[in-house]
């Protein structure tokens, strides 16, 4: 079992920045990769970024160049630094522990509770 707890969401103006955190506990040695997803009202949950065990991060085209995912293995925690935020980034953001293989991320069974990000003036 892996427990994931997100934090750091909030209300921010367009062009602003937020950094989300996801703290992992439990069977963390079993974690292969971690991902950040987001879900806007009435839409599917989409992958935003994922990071492998060696620290290599991959991003959805919609956030490439604006978002940065990184990890702190000492804690262990993964972060999503979000810059130049747009109204279309508004969503509930979730972290997930899964598997990265051949450049793709496969979500696992463990999700956090989500944190709301609202980008609005």
């Amino acid at each position: 079992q892996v427990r994931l707890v997100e934090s750091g969401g909030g209300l921010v103006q367009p062009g602003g920045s937020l950094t989300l955190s996801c703290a992992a506990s439990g069977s963390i040695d079993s974690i292969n990769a971690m991902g950040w997803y987001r879900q806007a009202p009435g839409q599917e949950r989409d992958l935003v970024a994922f990071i492998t065990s060696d620290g290599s991060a991959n991003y959805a085209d919609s956030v490439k160049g604006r978002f940065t995912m990184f990890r702190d293995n000492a804690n262990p925690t993964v972060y999503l630094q979000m810059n130049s935020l747009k109204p279309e980034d508004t969503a509930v953001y979730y972290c997930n522990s899964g598997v990265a293989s051949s450049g793709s991320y496969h979500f696992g069974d463990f999700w956090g509770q989500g944190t709301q990000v609202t980008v609005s003036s």
Side-chain angles (χ1 to χ4, degrees):
Q1 290 275 357
V2 175
R3 183 168 182 256
L4 304 171
V5 179
E6 301 102 334
S7 61
L11 173 64
V12 63
Q13 292 187 343
S17 299
L18 279 176
T19 300
L20 307 182
S21 303
C22 174
S25 61
S27 302
I28 58 175
D29 289 344
S30 67
I31 297 175
N32 173 270
M34 297 285 291
W36 280 101
Y37 284 76
R38 66 186 181 187
Q39 187 169 23
Q43 298 188 20
E44 295 184 351
R45 190 173 296 189
D46 293 326
L47 180 65
V48 174
F50 69 92
I51 192 165
T52 62
S53 56
D54 65 0
S56 177
N58 294 266
Y59 303 93
D61 288 342
S62 59
V63 305
K64 203 171 290 184
R66 300 188 298 122
F67 290 12
T68 302
M69 185 174 183
F70 56 98
R71 64 193 299 158
D72 178 358
N73 289 331
N75 281 332
T77 302
V78 295
Y79 301 89
L80 185 68
Q81 182 179 345
M82 306 184 294
N83 297 326
S84 302
L85 282 161
K86 305 175 182 180
E88 51 263 44
D89 295 317
T90 296
V92 179
Y93 285 70
Y94 299 89
C95 67
N96 173 265
S97 63
V99 176
S101 175
S102 302
S104 297
Y105 182 81
H106 306 277
F107 64 83
D109 293 334
F110 303 110
W111 295 87
Q113 81 286 357
T115 186
Q116 176 71 47
V117 172
T118 302
V119 184
S120 175
S121 55

